[in-house]
Amino acid sequence: MDKATNVPLQPPTFGNLITILSIDGGGIRGIIPGTILTFLESELQKLDGEDARIADYFDVIAGTSTGGLLTSMITAPNENNRPLFSAKDIKQFFLDHSPLIFPQKIWPIAKVLKSLEGPKYDGEYLHKLVREKLGNTKLNQTLTNVVIPTFDIKLLQPTVFSSYEMKKNSSLDALLSDICISTSAAPTYLPAYYFKTEDVAAGTVREFNLVDGGVAANNPTLLAVGEVTKEIIRQSPEFFPIKPMDYKRFLVISLGTGAPKAEMKFTADQAAQWGLFGWLTAGGTTPIIDAFYQASSDMVDFNLSVVFQALHCEDKYLRIQDDTLSNEVSTLDEATEKNLEGLVKVGEALLKKPVSKVNLETGIFQTSDSQTNEEALIRFAKLLSEERRLRHARSPHGKTTASFKENQLTIS
């Protein structure tokens, strides 16, 4: 990839695939997908040069909660109109800032009592940090399309900040910082967030009263696929002549943030004794929140796995998730140095594990492929690089401005 030109990814109409990256919510466990993305980006750099970045290869990147923050970090432009963060910067970001976002100064029992009165954390450091990093960048300025879900607690319905929908509804063109703060406002952990957008030309104001996107879609993969499908139905020239249900054209990487191992989960006999306090505090976790986040994530994965299998294109769908987390690293907010380093190790170990899929009857991820996640990502990196080069070769804009490394594979 030519460092000087930095040509944007050309539309899918010039290629063979529609490329989607999705990142789950999960608090400090965002370190896990961050580690996976670091590996993927390093493989892309081997193919296309050290300036290659994740945002250069995906038509849409979706993220919920901490995944929404990661999405913004890798798609927001810096002063050179390149991604604000490279994937390798993500780990250090979490190590540096998580202890300040989730301060560990109070005793666990005090956290529990505090959560009964209001959110565990005031969110002030997170809000300041996000505004500082993202500045005045708005949704329309991201380097590729993004999809970030939130939930409007006043309307009791999801509000999805989508680059595609924003083109038709300017009220969604909010500051990325406001979107990130909103999608991260996990109930009981961080306060709900209010902001408004103004359309000066139309003289209208839209108000938002938002909480964590995980309430709507903790795994936003299906949401991203839906946003693309709507564009195809609308006959967007970017997707011509792709058909709405042509899932064979989709290449999807979906990254989870981990889940507790089986022995840490609860039985019906245990849950039958819980009242509100138990559902919020049992086992030192928040079972009611863990339950709806995990249910959402796994159902989306199961649905897409079935669809891609039915259409004989399961080799273009990759879900990377770990359901063997210990008690310490499975929390959303236990931001101790030991725990954060443990999450880095979880991400590194996950790369070496076989590709697996969730069994909804047992709730356990089972090996489904002889490849490791690392090997699968190497294969996907090659597909992404080839797709990018193909689009640039076919696009009039790409032909005149893009340059590619010599001696790379010829695309058939």
Side-chain angles (χ1 to χ4, degrees):
M1 188 179 301
D2 191 323
K3 190 171 183 179
T5 55
N6 294 324
V7 180
L9 180 65
Q10 299 301 293
T13 189
F14 295 111
N16 292 332
L17 301 170
I18 301 168
T19 55
I20 295 174
L21 171 65
S22 175
I23 311 169
D24 284 16
I28 59 171
R29 301 200 310 259
I31 289 179
I32 296 173
T35 303
I36 305 300
L37 290 175
T38 299
F39 178 81
L40 175 60
E41 191 168 87
S42 70
E43 289 301 311
L44 293 168
Q45 289 169 346
K46 290 177 185 178
L47 295 167
D48 294 328
E50 63 179 17
D51 194 47
R53 296 290 183 267
I54 295 291
D56 298 326
Y57 296 86
F58 289 95
D59 295 304
V60 56
I61 301 179
T64 296
S65 193
T66 193
L69 178 57
L70 290 180
T71 296
S72 297
M73 289 167 64
I74 62 178
T75 63
N78 63 16
E79 63 277 7
N80 298 316
N81 207 39
R82 295 295 292 144
L84 190 62
F85 285 79
S86 66
K88 65 181 176 59
D89 297 327
I90 294 172
K91 179 180 80 171
Q92 198 58 49
F93 177 89
F94 274 89
L95 295 177
D96 290 344
H97 298 292
S98 294
L100 298 170
I101 296 170
F102 303 113
Q104 306 296 300
K105 295 177 181 178
I106 57 177
W107 295 100
I109 187 62
K111 283 187 186 179
V112 170
L113 293 174
K114 183 174 175 57
S115 69
L116 295 177
E117 298 176 350
K120 288 185 185 180
Y121 309 99
D122 60 26
E124 289 181 7
Y125 183 83
L126 174 63
H127 296 187
K128 178 182 176 182
L129 175 67
V130 170
R131 290 183 183 123
E132 177 186 295
K133 297 296 183 183
L134 296 176
N136 293 319
T137 303
K138 300 183 78 171
L139 182 61
N140 76 80
Q141 295 172 282
T142 56
L143 297 173
T144 190
N145 298 297
V146 301
V147 175
I148 301 176
T150 64
F151 189 84
D152 195 306
I153 196 67
K154 185 175 181 180
L155 301 177
L156 285 182
Q157 65 181 31
T159 295
V160 179
F161 291 92
S162 161
S163 298
Y164 298 115
E165 285 300 316
M166 174 210 67
K167 296 170 186 175
K168 302 165 185 63
N169 183 352
S170 62
S171 69
L172 293 173
D173 190 20
L175 290 170
L176 274 185
S177 57
D178 284 336
I179 296 171
C180 284
I181 292 169
S182 301
T183 194
S184 303
T188 77
Y189 289 91
L190 290 162
Y193 188 65
Y194 169 87
F195 70 93
K196 60 186 179 180
T197 57
E198 298 182 38
D199 186 331
V200 177
T204 58
V205 174
R206 178 171 177 179
E207 296 184 330
F208 299 90
N209 298 270
L210 305 177
V211 296
D212 189 2
V215 175
N218 200 53
N219 175 348
T221 313
L222 197 56
L223 190 59
V225 171
E227 288 296 295
V228 169
T229 302
K230 284 193 293 184
E231 287 299 291
I232 296 172
I233 292 171
R234 291 166 177 160
Q235 297 183 330
S236 165
E238 291 189 5
F239 295 96
F240 180 82
I242 302 168
K243 293 180 172 59
M245 295 305 293
D246 194 359
Y247 275 40
K248 293 181 180 179
R249 299 287 292 268
F250 285 83
L251 183 146
V252 178
I253 299 177
S254 175
L255 304 181
T257 57
K261 55 188 176 182
E263 52 267 36
M264 286 176 53
K265 298 168 186 175
F266 302 99
T267 65
D269 286 342
Q270 291 171 304
Q273 308 304 315
W274 296 342
L276 178 62
F277 189 82
W279 278 103
L280 289 174
T281 64
T285 64
T286 49
I288 192 168
I289 293 176
D290 293 343
F292 67 67
Y293 281 3
Q294 204 58 48
S296 166
S297 295
D298 286 350
M299 287 301 292
V300 168
D301 177 32
F302 184 74
N303 180 284
L304 285 171
S305 294
V306 170
V307 170
F308 276 81
Q309 185 177 358
L311 296 175
H312 307 290
C313 55
E314 57 265 40
D315 61 332
K316 292 190 178 72
Y317 172 69
L318 176 63
R319 171 73 170 168
I320 300 182
Q321 173 71 312
D322 190 328
D323 67 342
T324 64
L325 302 188
S326 65
N327 184 57
E328 293 78 15
V329 295
S330 68
T331 65
L332 299 177
D333 64 330
E334 197 71 25
T336 63
E337 182 179 353
K338 177 183 176 183
N339 197 31
L340 293 170
E341 291 292 350
L343 286 166
V344 173
K345 293 177 181 177
V346 168
E348 293 171 346
L350 185 54
L351 287 167
K352 306 296 182 182
K353 291 184 177 182
V355 174
S356 58
K357 288 184 173 63
V358 68
N359 181 328
L360 284 186
E361 292 184 5
T362 64
I364 296 172
F365 272 75
Q366 298 175 335
T367 299
S368 64
D369 201 309
S370 58
Q371 281 189 323
T372 64
N373 289 315
E374 190 174 72
E375 290 168 337
L377 286 168
I378 292 171
R379 179 173 64 84
F380 271 69
K382 183 178 176 182
L383 291 171
L384 289 165
S385 176
E386 291 177 347
E387 175 67 13
R388 179 180 171 85
R389 284 185 273 127
L390 175 62
R391 293 189 194 181
H392 281 259
R394 289 178 173 174
S395 164
H397 178 70
K399 285 179 182 177
T400 59
T401 57
S403 91
F404 301 96
K405 295 174 66 179
E406 295 180 358
N407 301 320
Q408 292 182 316
L409 292 175
T410 301
I411 304 166
S412 57

